[in-house]
Amino acid sequence: MQKGLMTGLPGALLVMILLAGCGESAWNNPWPAREAGANVLYSSFEERPKHLDPARSYSSNEYAFLAQIYEPPLQYHFLLRPYQLIPLTAESLPELAYFDAEGRALPQDAPAAAIARSEYLIRIRPGSHYQPHPAFAQDAAGGYRYHHLTPADLENVNRLADFPETGTRELTAADYVYQIKRLAVPWRHSPIAGVLGEHIQDFNELTARIEAQAIEPGTDGERPYLDLDAIPFAGAEVVDRYRYRIHVKGKYPQFAYWLAMPFLAPMPWEAERFYDQPGMKARNLTLDWYPVGTGPFYLSENNPNLRMELTRNPHFHGETYPSEGMPGDAAAGLLADAGQPLPFIDRAVYALEKEGIPYWNKFLQGWYDSSGISSDAFDQAIRFDNQGGAGLTEAMAAKGIGLLTSVETSIAYMGFNMRDPVVGGDTESARLLRQAIAIAVDYEEYIAIFANGRGLIAQGPLPPGIFGYREGEAGLNPTVYRWQEGQAVRRTLAEAQELLTQAGYAEGRDPATGQALSLNFEAVASGPDDKARLNWLRKQFAKLGIELVVRATDYNRFQEKMRQGTGQIYTWGWNADYPDPENFLFLLYGPNSKMAGEGENASNYANPEFDARFERMKNMDDGPERQALIDEMIAIARHDGPWVWGYFPKGFSLHHAWLTNLKPNLMANNTLKYRRLDPELRQRLRAAWNRPVLWPLWLGLGLLVLGAVPAIRGYRRRERERAL
């Protein structure tokens, strides 16, 4: 024991000295030391993407990876607004031709009613190649090395990297047609098969032909490879090596937007032949785990319990940073890289982070390059000025952190069931009641309380960035707002009460009972935040003397009420599938009634004048005539008031000074290739922000020494006594 005391103290001193010698390095670095200064972007994911097969994927967390790997023929311009389609693998936008029912060619300005078929001719650029992959590996005789594997061949294979050989080949038009056929395979369960069946000729018939093949699953539950090239399909055809044609029913201009989605990206038949071999799925060797694309990156590591990694594709065909932007983009530095080859980064590493607080702390320490803002961290990061403008707190600004905000292409609204005898219908009384409620429900206050100020008041159904949206006074909803001193001002509560009186509900009283008018609100409530929101909503109606009865239920029951039309008032939202006004205005189109037609018109709104204009507008090309129809439709809907228009949510994100070329693009998912890093600045700031704090160690060392002195003296005294 006494000996341990004497040897332990020098040991402790040695540890302290060694720790002090490490004072210039960061002890909390979650990344390998060898990556210091590397051109690597660091981000995170919360859960493993379920599907990385472009035939099945349809969620944002999957697209974060998928869109960097797969390349459909078109993409959205990174900088221009409103959102514009531009070529990606295609040489140009598709050549569009129209035909009548007899197959005769029609001019481009032919009326939609005369068009029986639209043809999209797409020419892809020569010279694009797939990422390195074992599916393309060939032997000396030119045969595919890994297309005829036996169970013995797979005995020591657990990941894609266990195959020693890889290969590549050129992208061809046939790969795009092959992917369209894959979408029709019933056991692939593509989420857009139903939509494509409505619009692509022979698509549903192709599904039936595939089912007739009677491909039964094997003993492992997986179906063997099916040669889709051998099954005829009139909906898409290969013209030659670099051209293919898609046949669309009637006129459907929105189909061009589908050509920018991973669903219609190319798929080489070799990949499906490779993955459909027995024993592959049991080892997670599938397209859902290891995609195969031509994009600027490929998935080099998929370890869902730790990290996922994208690496620069050595066979990438090349692309340059855009040279054209919006006013202000050049001043913001967004055109500094104009014409430079993409991508700028070498790798992107995504670590598993299930909790928001650890991610936030690591972002502040510089270990992550960008971050969203949770409600818990909002006050730490964001402050609002007297005009309501969002800015960074002093602490964030001092670190050089940047803030990006954007109005999302989505809407959160309150709806009335237009089939309801009290709040619905087209009577003047019901219309005035809805208008009074629209004025009284203060969505400015709602945004401030429940959305941390992250929202833009909606004056109609179309958010910014969508064709048809009007800014300023031209876009004002006069039913609820008036234009004063250059801004929209909500009409007063007194005006709402006057409308209520005209509706026959003076002071909010039901004339039939003499009591407060009682209205039902269909709510999906699950937590304490919902309780506060619903209490706020009751107070909005109480301002008019109306009693709001909340009928809370789960989401499944709520949907059932909407389908049956038994609800009265509700709140819901919509996210754009593509940036076209049709994708929002169809929410108010009569035949899309949820009650009558199981569509997305949850308010069951039907106005013949609105519907007639919608039918003309939906298949028109953007231009003054279409804008005029949209203006008329929105004016009709504002007057009828089937919705309290609510707000367009705003997205907030933060990034460090070393990450540039950032501009919110709510349609494009393939923006990783535009990101640029300054690894030297990042390394320098990380070192400054993560210097070890050593004074507690020195204090502990001093206390240890002071505490050891009496023991040492006592030990020496006892040693002397023994000697005597």
Side-chain angles (χ1 to χ4, degrees):
M1 182 177 178
Q2 294 170 342
K3 183 177 180 180
L5 172 66
M6 295 303 293
T7 58
L9 181 57
L13 289 170
L14 178 61
V15 170
M16 295 294 184
I17 293 169
L18 290 174
L19 288 174
C22 297
E24 293 303 316
S25 63
W27 303 344
N28 60 337
N29 188 349
W31 312 116
R34 65 180 181 277
E35 293 184 359
N39 189 22
V40 178
L41 183 141
Y42 296 101
S43 188
S44 75
F45 66 100
E46 294 182 8
E47 58 181 345
R48 183 188 76 83
K50 185 176 181 180
H51 297 298
L52 292 177
D53 181 343
R56 304 188 67 183
S57 173
Y58 203 13
S59 68
S60 58
N61 73 313
E62 295 165 352
Y63 275 23
F65 298 97
L66 207 67
Q68 323 312 325
I69 298 167
Y70 286 102
E71 292 187 307
L74 305 182
Q75 64 180 335
Y76 291 97
H77 195 286
F78 178 47
L79 299 177
L80 295 181
R81 304 293 183 271
Y83 297 108
Q84 296 185 21
L85 289 173
I86 60 173
L88 179 52
T89 58
E91 283 195 337
S92 60
L93 294 178
E95 297 176 23
L96 184 57
Y98 297 126
F99 300 87
D100 63 15
E102 283 72 40
R104 294 186 295 249
L106 296 173
Q108 291 293 308
D109 60 354
I115 299 173
R117 185 177 83 254
S118 304
E119 289 186 358
Y120 290 77
L121 179 64
I122 303 164
R123 178 179 175 84
I124 63 172
R125 292 183 300 167
S128 298
H129 284 76
Y130 286 97
Q131 67 186 66
H133 197 278
F136 304 117
Q138 296 182 348
D139 56 28
Y144 287 101
R145 187 179 295 275
Y146 301 122
H147 282 199
H148 305 281
L149 299 173
T150 66
D153 295 327
L154 294 175
E155 188 172 337
N156 296 316
V157 173
N158 296 297
R159 56 195 183 113
L160 199 66
D162 290 334
F163 291 97
E165 302 293 333
T166 63
T168 186
R169 74 158 170 83
E170 187 183 28
L171 170 70
T172 67
D175 299 331
Y176 287 94
V177 174
Y178 188 87
Q179 171 64 6
I180 295 174
K181 287 185 172 183
R182 292 185 73 243
L183 300 174
V185 176
W187 55 83
R188 297 288 179 205
H189 303 293
S190 175
I192 66 161
V195 175
L196 296 185
E198 294 178 16
H199 295 292
I200 295 182
Q201 289 193 333
D202 199 39
F203 189 89
N204 292 331
E205 292 78 3
L206 174 62
T207 297
R209 287 193 287 273
I210 293 172
E211 285 183 312
Q213 297 286 322
I215 303 296
E216 296 297 329
T219 56
D220 59 355
E222 291 301 301
R223 288 178 172 83
Y225 170 69
L226 173 64
D227 183 8
L228 293 175
D229 286 334
I231 302 176
F233 177 44
E237 59 178 314
V238 177
V239 178
D240 55 36
R241 184 173 180 84
Y242 301 116
R243 291 186 299 166
Y244 68 105
R245 184 180 288 117
I246 303 175
H247 302 269
V248 173
K249 302 173 186 176
K251 182 177 181 180
Y252 181 53
Q254 292 79 13
F255 184 74
Y257 295 119
W258 291 99
L259 294 173
M261 299 181 72
F263 288 116
L264 297 183
M267 179 59 64
W269 70 268
E270 294 94 334
E272 194 151 77
R273 179 68 182 84
F274 172 79
Y275 284 125
D276 281 351
Q277 297 178 89
M280 286 292 203
K281 185 175 182 180
R283 292 166 170 79
N284 286 325
L285 296 172
T286 66
L287 281 168
D288 271 337
W289 204 275
Y290 293 107
V292 186
T294 60
F297 299 96
Y298 68 94
L299 190 64
S300 54
E301 181 178 350
N302 188 351
N303 182 352
N305 296 318
L306 183 61
R307 60 189 260 164
M308 299 179 71
E309 184 173 312
L310 292 169
T311 298
R312 183 194 292 261
N313 178 6
H315 303 308
F316 182 52
H317 53 78
E319 188 181 354
T320 58
Y321 190 89
S323 300
E324 182 183 8
M326 299 297 291
D329 283 350
L334 287 168
L335 289 171
D337 284 319
Q340 295 299 308
L342 301 174
F344 294 124
I345 65 171
D346 295 328
R347 289 186 295 130
V349 175
Y350 301 82
L352 178 64
E353 290 280 6
K354 292 186 176 182
E355 301 294 334
I357 293 177
Y359 182 94
W360 175 250
N361 290 333
K362 290 176 185 176
F363 168 73
L364 294 180
Q365 294 162 349
W367 305 122
Y368 288 120
D369 299 315
S370 60
S371 175
I373 310 174
S374 66
S375 297
D376 293 337
F378 194 84
D379 291 339
Q380 183 182 356
I382 302 298
R383 61 176 177 81
F384 290 96
D385 58 28
N386 295 333
Q387 287 73 43
L392 291 168
T393 60
E394 292 183 4
M396 296 294 109
K399 295 174 75 74
I401 290 173
L403 169 67
L404 289 177
T405 65
S406 61
V407 180
E408 299 177 5
T409 49
S410 62
I411 186 171
Y413 65 91
M414 176 187 293
F416 301 99
N417 179 8
M418 297 298 282
R419 301 288 185 97
D420 182 80
V422 179
V423 301
D426 59 359
T427 66
E428 187 66 12
S429 173
R431 185 179 297 111
L432 292 171
L433 172 61
R434 294 192 296 269
Q435 291 177 355
I437 292 171
I439 295 171
V441 178
D442 188 348
Y443 263 102
E444 286 88 350
E445 184 177 274
Y446 181 93
I447 293 169
I449 296 174
F450 298 103
N452 295 118
R454 290 179 279 189
L456 175 69
I457 289 293
Q459 303 286 344
L462 299 182
I466 301 296
F467 180 83
Y469 172 78
R470 296 280 197 181
E471 288 192 75
E473 187 174 6
L476 185 77
N477 176 11
T479 302
V480 180
Y481 292 87
R482 60 167 51 91
W483 192 257
Q484 290 182 340
E485 299 179 357
Q487 62 182 350
V489 178
R490 181 176 289 271
R491 293 186 180 274
T492 65
L493 185 59
E495 291 176 275
Q497 291 167 337
E498 176 59 27
L499 291 174
L500 197 62
T501 299
Q502 294 176 26
Y505 301 101
E507 298 181 349
R509 294 188 178 276
D510 187 340
T513 65
Q515 303 297 316
L517 176 63
S518 180
L519 301 177
N520 297 324
F521 179 77
E522 309 302 332
V524 180
S526 58
D529 290 342
D530 293 314
K531 183 178 180 180
R533 177 175 55 84
L534 294 172
N535 285 337
W536 176 86
L537 198 56
R538 287 191 188 96
K539 293 177 181 178
Q540 305 305 300
F541 282 76
K543 291 187 294 188
L544 295 173
I546 298 173
E547 178 188 23
L548 189 68
V549 178
V550 174
R551 303 198 298 190
T553 184
D554 60 30
Y555 188 58
N556 289 334
R557 177 59 183 146
F558 169 79
Q559 289 181 301
E560 186 65 23
K561 288 182 179 181
M562 295 296 102
R563 283 192 292 268
Q564 295 175 351
T566 59
Q568 199 168 40
I569 305 174
Y570 66 96
T571 55
W572 222 343
W574 181 258
N575 296 317
D577 290 313
Y578 43 84
D580 190 88
E582 180 262 353
N583 195 232
F584 285 90
L585 293 171
F586 89 125
L587 300 171
L588 298 169
Y589 178 53
N592 280 342
S593 165
K594 189 170 285 292
M595 181 180 173
E598 297 187 0
E600 296 299 336
N601 179 355
S603 284
N604 304 302
Y605 173 62
N607 182 310
E609 294 184 6
F610 182 97
D611 292 347
R613 287 166 172 80
F614 177 84
E615 289 165 1
R616 291 171 55 197
M617 179 281 306
K618 66 176 182 177
N619 291 328
M620 292 176 66
D621 298 320
D622 291 346
E625 186 179 356
R626 196 182 199 206
Q627 179 70 65
L629 282 174
I630 291 170
D631 291 341
E632 293 173 9
M633 293 168 63
I634 293 177
I636 293 169
R638 284 170 175 161
H639 176 68
D640 289 346
W643 291 0
V644 177
W645 301 104
Y647 68 101
F648 307 120
K650 283 185 178 180
F652 280 46
S653 64
L654 303 175
H655 60 276
H656 286 294
W658 56 74
L659 182 63
T660 56
N661 293 343
L662 298 164
K663 182 175 181 176
N665 190 314
L666 303 173
M667 287 294 113
N669 298 288
N670 62 338
T671 56
L672 180 63
K673 60 189 176 185
Y674 303 115
R675 305 287 186 259
R676 181 183 281 281
L677 288 164
D678 184 343
E680 293 183 4
L681 175 61
R682 178 172 63 185
Q683 188 175 7
R684 187 165 65 250
L685 291 178
R686 280 177 174 177
W689 295 342
N690 295 278
R691 286 195 178 98
V693 180
L694 297 178
W695 66 263
L697 297 177
W698 290 115
L699 178 61
L701 176 61
L703 293 175
L704 180 63
V705 171
L706 291 175
V709 168
I712 295 172
R713 288 178 177 173
Y715 171 78
R716 290 179 175 174
R717 185 169 56 250
R718 287 192 296 272
E719 288 295 312
R720 286 196 297 270
E721 290 174 353
R722 290 176 184 173
L724 293 174

